[in-house]
Amino acid sequence: MPSPIDKIYEEIFGYLPDKAGTAFERLASIASYLLNEGDVTHDDKLRGQFSKTLYQLDIHSKSDDGATMGEAKDYSLQGKKVGRGDLQKLGGALPDLKEIDAGAFFSATEYTGPAKKYAESAGEMFGKPIALWGLRPGTELDEEGFIKTVVIQMHIQMPQPEKAKWIPRLTKRGETALKVLVEPGSDRVEYQTVLSCFYDVSGNEILSLHELTSKGYGETNCETGMSHGCFFLKDHYIDINGIMAEIHGLEYELPYENYTEELRITDDSGHRFVLLDKDGKVTRFLTDRKLREFAFNESGKLIKR
């Protein structure tokens, strides 16, 4: 009869391994990788150095921290805890396996007191520690204190250059050059010109208005909601009716359009598993999305897609 964890595994991956317990062992193999990364193999075999016994390893993990032999037990269907006897199989193999530096046990249920004491003494008994991990479906209570949704409110100020006021500020030489446009006896003369670029004294284009404004407009005045400033343009000229008029710079008054956008980042993954340390504290979540990133080849080697 499939356990509750078997059913979740089948929903996530679309199939259920034929051998009982394999689904949980593979989940534990993924959890082992997420803890230390490295190379992880499910259902591996190693021969003992002294006894020459061929040991079956539910999880064989090799990382920068060393090699680990992992056992995995799903007693969720029986509703019982992992006991000292379950750990003794692992403890008995550790001294005989030269390649293994430590042991790890993954349980879908809790551990008995004697099992915890046995694991705590493993380092002293065998010279190789045994880490106890819990791996089970998560609950709403587990998720308390964990952020599932991040809300970001972005207050955006968008410049409106098409509504801006642009005022070229002429130098004395520039004003003098333009006085030739005034006809005798006239007190006012009007000319229209397109301000799209700036020139040197010889009339060669040296800067476009687009290039000038592409670097921004400075800070916004909090009282007016506009940017006020001047682009200083030494030795720059504008063309007015064929006359090169020297300017100090280009003064501007630029309005902004303000609006707010809300960005939500939500973790809506389903079928969460939780990984717990020896004290029963949740250390991480394993979502269906994360679990689907992994697969196993024919040799049992864990592959990250």
Side-chain angles (χ1 to χ4, degrees):
M1 179 178 179
S3 75
I5 288 179
D6 289 334
K7 294 177 181 178
I8 296 176
Y9 184 97
E10 186 172 15
E11 289 177 15
I12 294 174
F13 294 102
Y15 74 98
L16 184 64
D18 295 332
K19 184 180 175 183
T22 297
F24 184 70
E25 291 171 6
R26 290 190 170 182
L27 289 170
S29 297
I30 296 172
S32 179
Y33 175 85
L34 294 175
L35 285 169
N36 298 304
E37 296 193 352
D39 294 323
V40 177
T41 303
H42 166 246
D43 194 19
D44 203 4
K45 291 179 174 58
L46 287 178
R47 191 167 297 280
Q49 179 183 9
F50 305 107
S51 69
K52 306 305 178 184
T53 299
L54 189 62
Y55 293 95
Q56 184 271 334
L57 285 65
D58 290 345
I59 306 159
H60 186 190
S61 174
K62 291 181 284 187
S63 69
D64 293 339
D65 296 329
T68 301
M69 172 185 180
E71 286 286 309
K73 289 294 181 186
D74 176 13
Y75 286 150
S76 57
L77 192 62
Q78 299 92 324
K80 71 173 187 177
K81 297 180 180 180
V82 167
R84 176 189 173 101
D86 294 302
L87 266 73
Q88 284 179 324
K89 174 189 174 184
L90 175 60
L94 288 176
D96 200 17
L97 293 172
K98 182 180 179 180
E99 303 96 323
I100 298 299
D101 302 297
F105 205 103
F106 294 86
S107 173
T109 57
E110 296 180 355
Y111 295 90
T112 64
K116 292 179 181 178
K117 289 182 180 179
Y118 185 86
E120 290 172 359
S121 304
E124 185 177 346
M125 291 189 297
F126 315 123
K128 299 179 180 181
I130 296 177
L132 298 184
W133 297 98
L135 181 61
R136 59 167 174 77
T139 65
E140 291 185 5
L141 187 61
D142 293 323
E143 296 179 2
E144 287 186 2
F146 285 83
I147 297 173
K148 294 185 67 176
T149 302
V150 177
V151 180
I152 302 172
Q153 284 195 338
M154 298 180 292
H155 301 284
I156 301 171
Q157 286 189 322
M158 184 64 68
Q160 305 293 306
E162 69 280 1
K163 299 178 181 179
K165 293 181 180 179
W166 305 96
I167 307 172
R169 292 302 180 184
L170 298 170
T171 64
K172 289 295 183 182
R173 284 194 295 249
E175 291 178 354
T176 301
L178 292 178
K179 286 181 179 178
V180 300
L181 298 175
V182 180
E183 297 180 1
S186 300
D187 59 359
R188 179 184 178 87
V189 63
E190 292 187 9
Y191 290 93
Q192 290 188 355
T193 187
V194 176
L195 181 60
S196 61
C197 56
F198 304 90
Y199 305 87
D200 63 16
V201 68
S202 301
N204 301 307
E205 182 179 332
I206 56 175
L207 178 68
S208 70
L209 183 61
H210 174 74
E211 291 171 333
L212 177 65
T213 58
S214 63
K215 296 180 181 179
Y217 304 95
E219 295 183 0
T220 307
N221 187 301
C222 59
E223 294 181 0
T224 64
M226 294 190 288
S227 289
H228 306 264
C230 183
F231 295 109
F232 293 102
L233 300 169
K234 185 180 179 181
D235 298 326
H236 283 61
Y237 294 76
I238 58 175
D239 181 357
I240 298 180
N241 202 36
I243 296 175
M244 292 293 111
E246 186 182 38
I247 60 173
H248 287 299
L250 183 64
E251 187 177 344
Y252 61 87
E253 187 178 274
L254 182 78
Y256 286 80
E257 181 177 321
N258 299 290
Y259 61 95
T260 301
E261 288 286 347
E262 186 174 275
L263 176 64
R264 288 179 173 266
I265 304 172
T266 302
D267 184 357
D268 56 357
S269 302
H271 299 308
R272 293 172 179 266
F273 283 90
V274 289
L275 184 64
L276 306 100
D277 62 17
K278 62 182 180 64
D279 299 317
K281 181 180 178 181
V282 176
T283 60
R284 67 175 63 206
F285 289 105
L286 280 67
T287 66
D288 55 355
R289 185 180 299 144
K290 172 60 69 175
L291 292 169
R292 288 193 187 102
E293 293 179 4
F294 298 91
F296 295 85
N297 66 15
E298 294 180 357
S299 301
K301 184 176 178 60
L302 182 67
I303 301 169
K304 194 173 189 302
R305 297 174 180 173

